[in-house]
Amino acid sequence: MTQTITHAASDLFEHVAAQADAVAHFRGRLGFEADVSDVAAALAEPEAGFVLVDTRNDESWAQGHVPGAMHLPRRRIAAEAAERIPAGTPVVVYCWGPGCNGATRAALEFALLGYPVKEMIGGFEYWVREGFAFDAAGGLTQLAPDALTNVAQAGLAGDSVVNADITCAC
């Protein structure tokens, strides 16, 4: 038998959205955001159909980046996007991590230019924390998944093993 524990809500639910508003809001967020597991799965497809753009500065790119990502720092998007990415091409942007709004600013830049765009929530930090491989100065690198972000260690056999089969634990 499952037991439900109910806590006093105090002011938490004093103002709560109507069901239709909640559905529209959360469905809308999925139109703007993708998590790292979804991006990794899409990149594994033979024809990904989008460009993944790392919007961080040169130093951050050099520390490590998602394999196959294009490096286009946010401040250069308006000037360079049209010559590097065909008009109408879907774009997914990322920055460092959830404590940075650089990807949000970059997504706005692409949207202003007319590109279909999504932000990879969690950024490069969560790409690494979830155990996906990344390019670094020493070559392709992969760390064991952080158990607080991803407990699905499908086939991971060591700190240097590259395995695209790690999936989100949610």
Side-chain angles (χ1 to χ4, degrees):
M1 180 176 168
T2 303
Q3 179 183 9
T4 301
I5 300 173
T6 305
H7 300 279
S10 64
D11 292 336
L12 182 63
F13 284 93
E14 181 178 336
H15 302 285
V16 66
Q19 179 187 7
D21 294 336
V23 168
H25 171 78
F26 294 114
R27 183 173 284 141
R29 282 187 62 185
L30 293 173
F32 299 107
E33 302 172 345
D35 68 24
V36 296
S37 293
D38 289 342
V39 172
L43 287 172
E45 297 293 322
E47 295 293 325
F50 68 96
V51 175
L52 180 62
V53 178
D54 184 316
T55 66
R56 298 173 301 146
N57 63 29
D58 294 338
E59 294 80 12
S60 295
W61 169 265
Q63 286 180 332
H65 52 273
V66 176
M70 172 188 291
H71 184 223
L72 183 55
R74 181 186 60 82
R75 294 186 191 324
R76 298 189 341 227
I77 291 170
E80 297 180 25
E83 65 189 46
R84 298 183 62 188
I85 303 170
T89 301
V91 174
V92 176
V93 296
Y94 71 89
C95 195
W96 180 252
C100 171
N101 68 2
T104 303
R105 292 171 186 263
L108 175 59
E109 291 287 333
F110 277 106
L112 288 168
L113 294 171
Y115 288 89
V117 62
K118 286 191 175 195
E119 178 180 354
M120 183 174 81
I121 58 173
F124 183 69
E125 175 187 354
Y126 274 72
W127 183 272
V128 173
R129 288 182 71 184
E130 289 195 20
F132 294 109
F134 59 96
D135 281 326
L140 202 57
T141 304
Q142 182 179 25
L143 304 177
D146 179 336
L148 294 176
T149 63
N150 190 339
V151 296
Q153 299 184 28
L156 189 67
D159 288 349
S160 63
V161 175
V162 176
N163 182 348
D165 294 330
I166 297 174
T167 57
C168 181
C170 43

